Protein backbone atom coordinates (compact mmCIF):
# COMPACT_ATOMS: atom_id res chain seq x y z
CA UNK A 1 0.00 0.00 0.00
CA UNK A 2 1.45 3.35 -1.05
CA UNK A 3 1.06 6.42 1.12
CA UNK A 4 2.43 9.95 0.98
CA UNK A 5 2.61 10.83 4.68
CA UNK A 6 2.22 9.44 8.19
CA UNK A 7 0.35 11.53 10.75
CA UNK A 8 0.47 10.91 14.50
CA UNK A 9 -3.03 11.10 16.00
CA UNK A 10 -1.96 10.64 19.65
CA UNK A 11 -1.18 13.00 22.50
CA UNK A 12 2.04 12.14 24.40
CA UNK A 13 1.35 10.40 27.71
CA UNK A 14 2.11 12.68 30.62
CA UNK A 15 1.67 12.57 34.39
CA UNK A 16 1.46 16.38 34.39
CA UNK A 17 -1.50 16.81 32.04
CA UNK A 18 -4.99 15.77 33.16
CA UNK A 19 -5.62 12.98 30.68
CA UNK A 20 -8.34 10.78 32.17
CA UNK A 21 -12.10 10.73 32.34
CA UNK A 22 -13.26 12.22 35.66
CA UNK A 23 -12.98 9.51 38.32
CA UNK A 24 -10.48 7.35 36.42
CA UNK A 25 -7.01 6.79 37.93
CA UNK A 26 -4.41 9.40 37.05
CA UNK A 27 -1.24 8.17 35.30
CA UNK A 28 1.96 7.83 37.30
CA UNK A 29 5.48 7.86 35.85
CA UNK A 30 8.38 6.90 38.15
CA UNK A 31 12.08 6.97 37.26
CA UNK A 32 13.60 3.56 37.96
CA UNK A 33 17.08 4.04 36.53
CA UNK A 34 19.15 6.93 35.20
CA UNK A 35 22.06 7.08 32.78
CA UNK A 36 24.30 8.72 35.40
CA UNK A 37 23.65 6.15 38.13
CA UNK A 38 22.82 2.94 36.26
CA UNK A 39 24.10 3.43 32.73
CA UNK A 40 20.60 3.26 31.24
CA UNK A 41 17.36 5.22 31.40
CA UNK A 42 14.17 3.45 32.55
CA UNK A 43 10.83 4.55 33.92
CA UNK A 44 7.80 2.67 35.25
CA UNK A 45 4.46 3.84 33.89
CA UNK A 46 1.20 3.14 35.72
CA UNK A 47 -1.95 3.92 33.75
CA UNK A 48 -5.59 2.98 33.49
CA UNK A 49 -6.66 1.25 30.32
CA UNK A 50 -8.44 4.41 29.14
CA UNK A 51 -5.80 7.03 29.88
CA UNK A 52 -4.99 9.79 27.38
CA UNK A 53 -5.26 8.87 23.72
CA UNK A 54 -6.63 5.33 23.86
CA UNK A 55 -8.86 2.73 22.32
CA UNK A 56 -11.69 0.83 23.94
CA UNK A 57 -12.57 -2.79 23.26
CA UNK A 58 -16.15 -4.12 23.04
CA UNK A 59 -15.86 -5.63 26.53
CA UNK A 60 -15.65 -2.11 27.97
CA UNK A 61 -19.45 -1.85 27.90
CA UNK A 62 -20.74 -5.25 26.71
CA UNK A 63 -20.79 -8.40 28.83
CA UNK A 64 -19.21 -11.34 27.02
CA UNK A 65 -17.92 -9.17 24.15
CA UNK A 66 -14.37 -9.21 22.83
CA UNK A 67 -11.60 -8.20 25.20
CA UNK A 68 -8.33 -6.72 23.96
CA UNK A 69 -6.72 -10.13 23.49
CA UNK A 70 -9.70 -11.47 21.51
CA UNK A 71 -9.51 -8.80 18.81
CA UNK A 72 -7.92 -9.61 15.46
CA UNK A 73 -5.05 -7.71 13.90
CA UNK A 74 -7.45 -6.53 11.18
CA UNK A 75 -9.55 -4.73 13.80
CA UNK A 76 -6.68 -2.26 14.30
CA UNK A 77 -6.10 -1.31 10.64
CA UNK A 78 -9.08 0.44 9.04
CA UNK A 79 -9.89 2.81 6.18
CA UNK A 80 -10.48 6.24 7.66
CA UNK A 81 -12.74 9.22 7.10
CA UNK A 82 -12.88 12.54 8.96
CA UNK A 83 -16.02 14.50 9.74
CA UNK A 84 -15.32 18.07 10.82
CA UNK A 85 -17.94 19.69 13.05
CA UNK A 86 -15.53 22.07 14.80
CA UNK A 87 -17.35 25.23 13.66
CA UNK A 88 -20.70 23.94 14.90
CA UNK A 89 -19.18 22.65 18.14
CA UNK A 90 -17.65 26.05 18.82
CA UNK A 91 -21.17 27.47 18.92
CA UNK A 92 -22.74 24.50 20.73
CA UNK A 93 -20.74 22.33 23.17
CA UNK A 94 -23.52 19.73 23.09
CA UNK A 95 -23.70 19.43 19.30
CA UNK A 96 -24.45 15.90 18.10
CA UNK A 97 -23.66 14.71 14.57
CA UNK A 98 -26.93 14.08 12.71
CA UNK A 99 -27.87 11.77 9.85
CA UNK A 100 -28.13 14.90 7.68
CA UNK A 101 -24.48 15.68 8.53
CA UNK A 102 -23.51 12.21 7.31
CA UNK A 103 -25.53 12.58 4.11
CA UNK A 104 -23.99 16.01 3.50
CA UNK A 105 -20.50 14.54 3.98
CA UNK A 106 -21.30 11.73 1.55
CA UNK A 107 -22.65 14.15 -1.04
CA UNK A 108 -19.41 16.16 -0.89
CA UNK A 109 -16.88 13.34 -0.59
CA UNK A 110 -18.48 10.22 -2.03
CA UNK A 111 -19.69 7.03 -0.36
CA UNK A 112 -18.32 6.04 3.02
CA UNK A 113 -15.98 3.03 2.92
CA UNK A 114 -17.18 -0.14 4.58
CA UNK A 115 -15.86 -1.20 7.99
CA UNK A 116 -14.22 2.16 8.50
CA UNK A 117 -12.85 4.34 11.27
CA UNK A 118 -15.08 7.42 11.35
CA UNK A 119 -13.10 10.17 13.07
CA UNK A 120 -14.92 13.20 14.43
CA UNK A 121 -13.08 16.49 14.62
CA UNK A 122 -14.89 18.60 17.22
CA UNK A 123 -12.04 21.05 17.83
CA UNK A 124 -11.81 19.86 21.44
CA UNK A 125 -8.06 19.39 21.11
CA UNK A 126 -7.64 23.11 21.76
CA UNK A 127 -8.76 22.48 25.36
CA UNK A 128 -6.29 19.66 25.98
CA UNK A 129 -4.50 20.09 29.30
CA UNK A 130 -7.16 22.44 30.71
CA UNK A 131 -10.33 22.03 32.75
CA UNK A 132 -12.34 22.99 29.67
CA UNK A 133 -11.54 19.62 28.13
CA UNK A 134 -14.00 17.97 30.55
CA UNK A 135 -16.15 21.13 30.67
CA UNK A 136 -18.02 20.10 33.83
CA UNK A 137 -20.83 22.47 34.78
CA UNK A 138 -22.06 23.48 38.24
CA UNK A 139 -24.37 20.46 38.33
CA UNK A 140 -21.46 18.09 37.64
CA UNK A 141 -22.48 17.35 34.05
CA UNK A 142 -19.82 17.07 31.38
CA UNK A 143 -20.19 18.89 28.07
CA UNK A 144 -18.55 18.01 24.76
CA UNK A 145 -19.86 17.22 21.26
CA UNK A 146 -20.33 13.72 19.88
CA UNK A 147 -22.41 11.49 17.62
CA UNK A 148 -26.18 11.27 17.86
CA UNK A 149 -27.69 7.83 18.38
CA UNK A 150 -29.53 8.17 15.07
CA UNK A 151 -26.28 8.88 13.21
CA UNK A 152 -24.63 5.78 14.67
CA UNK A 153 -27.63 3.64 13.68
CA UNK A 154 -27.23 5.01 10.13
CA UNK A 155 -23.52 4.07 10.10
CA UNK A 156 -24.41 0.58 11.34
CA UNK A 157 -27.30 0.10 8.91
CA UNK A 158 -25.16 1.17 5.94
CA UNK A 159 -22.16 -1.02 6.76
CA UNK A 160 -19.81 1.85 7.55
CA UNK A 161 -19.50 0.26 10.96
CA UNK A 162 -19.64 -3.34 9.84
CA UNK A 163 -18.49 -6.42 11.69
CA UNK A 164 -15.44 -4.30 12.47
CA UNK A 165 -14.90 -0.55 12.45
CA UNK A 166 -14.42 2.35 14.84
CA UNK A 167 -15.73 5.69 15.95
CA UNK A 168 -13.06 8.22 16.89
CA UNK A 169 -13.06 11.66 18.47
CA UNK A 170 -10.74 14.33 19.81
CA UNK A 171 -12.95 14.61 22.91
CA UNK A 172 -13.36 12.17 25.81
CA UNK A 173 -15.94 9.97 24.11
CA UNK A 174 -17.97 9.57 20.91
CA UNK A 175 -21.03 10.07 23.15
CA UNK A 176 -22.24 13.53 24.00
CA UNK A 177 -20.64 14.58 27.27
CA UNK A 178 -24.07 15.06 28.84
CA UNK A 179 -25.10 11.45 28.09
CA UNK A 180 -24.02 9.52 31.18
CA UNK A 181 -25.72 6.38 29.83
CA UNK A 182 -23.16 6.13 26.97
CA UNK A 183 -25.74 5.09 24.39
CA UNK A 184 -23.44 5.67 21.42
CA UNK A 185 -20.58 3.69 22.94
CA UNK A 186 -22.90 0.78 23.68
CA UNK A 187 -24.00 0.74 20.05
CA UNK A 188 -20.41 0.83 18.80
CA UNK A 189 -19.14 -1.91 21.09
CA UNK A 190 -20.70 -4.79 19.20
CA UNK A 191 -18.84 -7.29 17.06
CA UNK A 192 -15.16 -6.23 16.86
CA UNK A 193 -15.56 -2.45 16.82
CA UNK A 194 -13.35 0.05 18.63
CA UNK A 195 -13.77 3.48 20.14
CA UNK A 196 -10.76 5.77 19.53
CA UNK A 197 -10.74 8.60 22.04
CA UNK A 198 -8.81 11.80 22.81
CA UNK A 199 -7.26 11.89 19.35
CA UNK A 200 -4.86 14.64 18.25
CA UNK A 201 -4.09 16.53 15.04
CA UNK A 202 -7.37 15.77 13.30
CA UNK A 203 -7.21 19.24 11.70
CA UNK A 204 -4.29 17.94 9.61
CA UNK A 205 -6.21 15.00 8.17
CA UNK A 206 -7.91 14.92 4.78
CA UNK A 207 -11.60 14.03 4.78
CA UNK A 208 -10.94 10.56 3.33
CA UNK A 209 -8.33 8.33 1.64
CA UNK A 210 -6.24 7.46 4.65
CA UNK A 211 -5.72 4.34 6.73
CA UNK A 212 -5.93 4.32 10.53
CA UNK A 213 -3.42 2.11 12.35
CA UNK A 214 -3.98 1.55 16.07
CA UNK A 215 -1.39 0.30 18.55
CA UNK A 216 -1.29 -0.24 22.31
CA UNK A 217 -1.26 -2.93 24.97
CA UNK A 218 -2.94 -6.21 24.14
CA UNK A 219 -3.79 -7.12 27.71
CA UNK A 220 -5.38 -10.46 28.56
CA UNK A 221 -8.97 -9.68 29.43
CA UNK A 222 -8.37 -5.98 28.77
CA UNK A 223 -11.05 -3.35 28.11
CA UNK A 224 -8.75 -1.15 26.02
CA UNK A 225 -5.36 0.51 26.08
CA UNK A 226 -3.48 3.79 25.94
CA UNK A 227 -2.55 4.03 22.29
CA UNK A 228 -0.29 5.22 19.56
CA UNK A 229 -2.61 5.86 16.62
CA UNK A 230 -1.42 6.83 13.14
CA UNK A 231 -2.98 7.83 9.85
CA UNK A 232 -1.30 6.65 6.65
CA UNK A 233 -2.36 9.25 4.11
CA UNK A 234 -2.84 8.05 0.56
CA UNK A 235 -0.82 9.30 -2.40
Amino acid sequence: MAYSAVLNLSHPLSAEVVSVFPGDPAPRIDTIATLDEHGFHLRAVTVGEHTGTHWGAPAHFTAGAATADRLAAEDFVLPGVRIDISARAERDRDYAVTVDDLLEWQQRHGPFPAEAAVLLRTGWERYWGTDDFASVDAQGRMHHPGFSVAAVHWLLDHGVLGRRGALGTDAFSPDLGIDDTFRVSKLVYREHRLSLEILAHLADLPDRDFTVVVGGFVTEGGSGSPASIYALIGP
Side-chain angles (χ1 to χ4, degrees):
M1 177 181 61
Y3 53 90
S4 60
V6 179
L7 183 63
N8 176 22
L9 302 183
S10 304
H11 292 282
L13 182 64
S14 169
E16 308 303 321
V17 175
V18 176
S19 57
V20 295
F21 195 84
D24 282 7
R28 176 175 169 175
I29 303 175
D30 298 306
T31 298
I32 303 301
T34 65
L35 287 169
D36 288 342
E37 185 176 355
H38 303 92
F40 61 94
H41 177 52
L42 177 66
R43 298 191 297 174
V45 180
T46 304
V47 292
E49 291 178 321
H50 295 255
T51 296
T53 301
H54 66 277
W55 54 266
H60 186 41
F61 273 117
T62 306
T67 52
D69 55 315
R70 289 168 50 202
L71 293 166
E74 292 85 355
D75 296 321
F76 297 94
V77 182
L78 301 164
V81 299
R82 184 198 67 168
I83 299 174
D84 190 339
I85 62 163
S86 56
R88 291 169 180 167
E90 189 169 3
R91 298 189 297 270
D92 180 2
R93 290 193 167 209
D94 299 320
Y95 187 81
V97 174
T98 66
V99 172
D100 284 344
D101 290 331
L102 300 179
L103 295 175
E104 178 186 345
W105 186 97
Q106 190 166 240
Q107 187 173 29
R108 294 179 61 188
H109 304 293
F112 284 92
E115 299 191 334
V118 181
L119 308 185
L120 184 63
R121 183 191 176 220
T122 72
W124 234 241
E125 181 180 354
R126 68 183 180 275
Y127 300 126
W128 181 241
T130 75
D131 290 341
D132 283 337
F133 195 78
S135 191
V136 177
D137 65 20
Q139 288 72 45
R141 295 173 302 185
M142 186 182 299
H143 294 268
H144 63 65
F147 290 87
S148 70
V149 171
V152 177
H153 275 298
W154 189 93
L155 292 169
L156 291 167
D157 293 344
H158 290 79
V160 184
L161 299 177
R163 186 179 176 274
R164 59 176 48 93
L167 287 185
T169 177
D170 52 6
F172 265 128
S173 166
D175 302 272
L176 285 177
I178 57 175
D179 183 6
D180 59 6
T181 66
F182 305 106
R183 291 177 296 167
V184 163
S185 289
K186 289 173 181 177
L187 282 171
V188 172
Y189 287 134
R190 297 176 181 174
E191 301 290 345
H192 282 214
R193 303 188 197 108
L194 305 176
S195 183
L196 310 177
E197 301 172 9
I198 315 183
L199 298 174
H201 310 307
L202 297 188
D204 299 326
L205 275 177
D207 293 301
R208 63 176 308 143
D209 297 328
F210 59 91
T211 300
V212 176
V213 181
V214 181
F217 304 136
V218 180
T219 308
E220 188 173 345
S223 70
S225 173
S228 295
I229 301 175
Y230 299 95
L232 310 182
I233 299 172

